[in-house]
């Protein structure tokens, strides 16, 4: 039994894009805006702050899976309001934090709920919205990835400059309660995506070791496994390639490429099937890394980051569509939560391993070459999975 329920397009797009925009408030770079003030307030250095973020990532894996799958068991409105209230409490904890322990707990929930579960709710819901048009419209959530970074960091810095960093977090909590919660109530009917009482066949269950998803998992992990470490340590290895100016241009290219890829992914999935696009989605990233391996000119940073943006954007849109194609959408929330949990582990491993590699001064070209080889192997494995789907599973068109 499908959990998809058609709603007016403007409601679906507004909800999904809005939740993605709100996920900016939990992003590492947004929380990092307050690092100098937090460091001064608690007398800690940047290394300690980095450790806090790394530990919060690893610690979020199991809660992400357990809470993420609840989206299949309760109505979307109730689920979203719960997330918004939990995020508000985390904001208040950071704003009040009389000591470092309370601050750490606040950061953990800001990252878990804001960065990961907000986006999880948005992307899961967008794949269920709109009935037969959901493939084409699911990419519209990309609007949120443009609006969030455009609005929230600047507003937070202005509030911090005028009233202090604690007041800025109080203001974020107030914004969620005054604007976000009422908007959620307005946009989402209480019954939408309510838990189904229909029997869920055993075949619909989703497990990490399920062969159907396992063949596609390395391809889906291409972006987090390779680019999490490279992006986190970009200020170090990018210095010989032009430094801050070219890196800034590259990050702009990354944002534009990510948003464009999210818009394009739905069309390509409908035109060529989601299985084929998943198998090939990291090709632009591989091309960018190949260029960085051959040349060291500053412009290669822009090409590399644009390729990374394309791969990341495709991954965000294609993951829920792939899960629908493999299992239907009854357990979509649990499937996305499982994928996101694996993503968090890959991101943590990538960030740590890349830091050790850079500290050992072993050179980046070998990393680029190894990443390209990984992309090729993951693509080949997913391609084999694509062939299996022709005979074993319905296509994504049949599912929707």
């Amino acid at each position: 039994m499908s959990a998809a329920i058609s709603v007016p397009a403007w409601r679906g797009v507004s909800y999904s894009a809005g939740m993605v925009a709100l996920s900016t408030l939990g992003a590492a770079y947004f929380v990092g805006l307050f690092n100098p003030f937090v460091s001064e307030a608690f007398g800690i250095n940047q290394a300690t702050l980095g450790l806090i973020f790394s530990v919060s990532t690893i610690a979020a894996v199991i809660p992400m899976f357990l809470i993420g799958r609840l989206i299949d068991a309760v109505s979307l409105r109730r689920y979203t309001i719960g997330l918004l209230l939990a995020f508000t409490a985390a904001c208040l904890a950071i704003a009040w934090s009389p000591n470092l322990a309370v601050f750490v707990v606040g950061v953990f929930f800001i990252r878990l709920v804001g960065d990961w579960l907000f986006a999880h709710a948005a992307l899961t819901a967008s794949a269920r919205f709109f009935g037969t048009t959901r493939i084409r419209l699911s990419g519209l959530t990309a609007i949120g990835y443009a609006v969030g970074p455009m609005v929230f960091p600047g507003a937070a810095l202005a509030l911090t400059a005028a009233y202090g960093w604690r007041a800025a977090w109080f203001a974020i909590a107030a914004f969620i309660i005054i604007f976000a919660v009422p908007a959620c109530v307005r946009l989402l009917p209480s019954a939408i995506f309510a838990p189904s009482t229909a029997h869920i066949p055993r075949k619909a269950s989703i497990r990490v070791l399920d062969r159907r998803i396992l063949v596609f998992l390395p391809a889906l992990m291409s972006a987090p496994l390779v680019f999490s470490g490279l992006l986190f340590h970009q200020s170090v290895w990018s210095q010989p390639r032009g430094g801050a100016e070219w890196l800034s241009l590259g990050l702009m290219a990354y944002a534009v490429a990510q948003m464009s890829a999210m818009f394009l992914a739905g069309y390509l999935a409908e035109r060529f099937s989601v299985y084929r696009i998943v198998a090939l989605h990291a090709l632009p990233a591989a091309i960018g890394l190949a260029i960085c391996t051959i040349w060291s000119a500053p412009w290669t940073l822009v090409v590399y980051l644009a390729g990374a943006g394309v791969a990341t954007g495709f991954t965000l849109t294609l993951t829920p569509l792939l899960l629908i194609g493999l299992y239907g959408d009854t357990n979509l929330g649990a499937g996305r939560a499982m994928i996101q949990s694996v993503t968090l582990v890959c991101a943590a491993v990538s960030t740590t391993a890349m830091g050790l590699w850079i500290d050992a001064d072993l050179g980046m070209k070998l990393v680029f070459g190894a990443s390209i080889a990984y992309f090729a192997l993951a693509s080949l494995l997913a391609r084999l999975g694509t062939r299996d789907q022709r005979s074993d599973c319905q296509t994504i068109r049949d599912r929707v």
Side-chain angles (χ1 to χ4, degrees):
M1 179 179 178
S2 175
I5 298 177
S6 293
V7 297
W10 71 269
R11 287 177 182 260
V13 171
S14 298
Y15 169 79
S16 298
M19 290 299 289
V20 165
L22 288 177
S23 71
T24 301
L25 298 173
Y29 71 86
F30 181 84
V31 180
L33 295 174
F34 301 92
N35 280 358
F37 311 103
V38 173
S39 179
E40 181 180 354
F42 296 112
I44 56 177
N45 55 29
Q46 294 300 306
T48 302
L49 284 171
L51 180 62
I52 290 172
F53 287 122
S54 297
V55 171
S56 68
T57 299
I58 293 295
V61 172
I62 294 178
M64 171 66 215
F65 179 70
L66 296 177
I67 300 173
R69 67 190 303 178
L70 290 178
I71 199 171
D72 296 328
V74 299
S75 72
L76 182 61
R77 183 164 78 171
R78 182 179 298 179
Y79 185 82
T80 305
I81 290 175
L83 293 183
L84 292 172
L85 294 178
F87 186 79
T88 300
C91 291
L92 293 175
I94 291 178
W96 170 66
S97 57
N99 52 56
L100 185 60
V102 175
F103 174 80
V104 170
V105 172
V107 167
F108 169 76
F109 283 102
I110 286 289
R111 301 280 289 134
L112 172 63
V113 179
D115 192 14
W116 300 314
L117 288 173
F118 279 179
H120 170 67
L123 295 171
T124 301
S126 69
R128 286 174 168 168
F129 279 135
F130 316 127
T132 57
T133 62
R134 63 180 162 199
I135 295 180
R136 283 168 287 174
L137 295 179
S138 60
L140 291 178
T141 55
I143 296 171
Y145 283 103
V147 173
M150 190 183 304
V151 174
F152 293 128
L157 289 174
L159 285 170
T160 301
Y163 304 105
W165 69 277
R166 293 181 184 272
W169 282 106
F170 273 122
I172 294 171
F175 172 81
I176 296 296
I177 293 297
I178 296 172
F179 294 103
V181 172
C184 172
V185 173
R186 165 68 176 158
L187 291 172
L188 299 178
S190 59
I192 191 168
F193 305 148
S196 172
T197 58
H199 172 67
I200 299 174
R202 186 173 181 177
K203 184 179 179 181
S205 63
I206 300 176
R207 297 165 296 158
V208 176
L209 297 180
D210 189 327
R211 180 177 177 274
R212 286 172 292 174
I213 189 62
L214 198 59
V215 293
F216 293 102
L217 198 58
L220 293 176
M221 293 302 108
S222 294
L225 190 59
V226 172
F227 292 119
S228 294
L230 287 174
L231 288 172
F232 188 81
H233 297 286
Q234 60 196 350
S235 60
V236 178
W237 68 264
S238 66
Q239 285 300 322
R241 295 174 182 263
E245 182 178 348
W246 282 94
L247 181 59
S248 177
L249 290 174
L251 291 174
M252 291 175 59
Y254 177 89
V256 172
Q258 182 187 43
M259 185 172 66
S260 301
M262 289 190 69
F263 277 115
L264 186 61
Y267 168 77
L268 293 177
E270 186 177 47
R271 177 69 176 81
F272 299 105
S273 93
V274 68
Y275 309 115
R276 292 181 180 179
I277 304 304
V278 167
L280 299 174
H281 81 282
L283 181 60
I287 293 173
L289 287 174
I291 290 174
C292 283
T293 304
I294 299 170
W295 293 287
S296 299
W299 59 267
T300 60
L301 269 180
V302 179
V303 176
Y304 147 71
L305 286 168
V310 171
T312 303
F314 275 146
T315 300
L316 290 170
T317 298
L318 293 175
T319 297
L321 297 179
L322 175 67
L323 291 171
I324 289 175
L326 293 174
Y327 305 99
D329 58 11
T330 304
N331 283 344
L332 178 59
R336 251 209 114 259
M338 180 270 289
I339 295 293
Q340 185 64 29
S341 298
V342 177
T343 298
L344 295 181
V345 174
C346 288
V349 169
S350 174
T351 302
T352 303
M354 196 66 66
L356 293 173
W357 186 273
I358 291 174
D359 286 343
D361 196 23
L362 298 175
M364 294 304 299
K365 289 191 175 182
L366 184 58
V367 173
F368 296 153
S371 299
I372 294 170
Y374 174 84
F375 288 154
L377 291 174
S379 179
L380 178 61
L381 184 61
R383 186 63 179 167
L384 295 175
T386 300
R387 293 179 180 177
D388 290 342
Q389 297 313 313
R390 293 175 182 173
S391 58
D392 296 339
C393 288
Q394 290 177 275
T395 64
I396 189 72
R397 293 190 185 92
D398 294 330
R399 292 286 190 183
V400 299

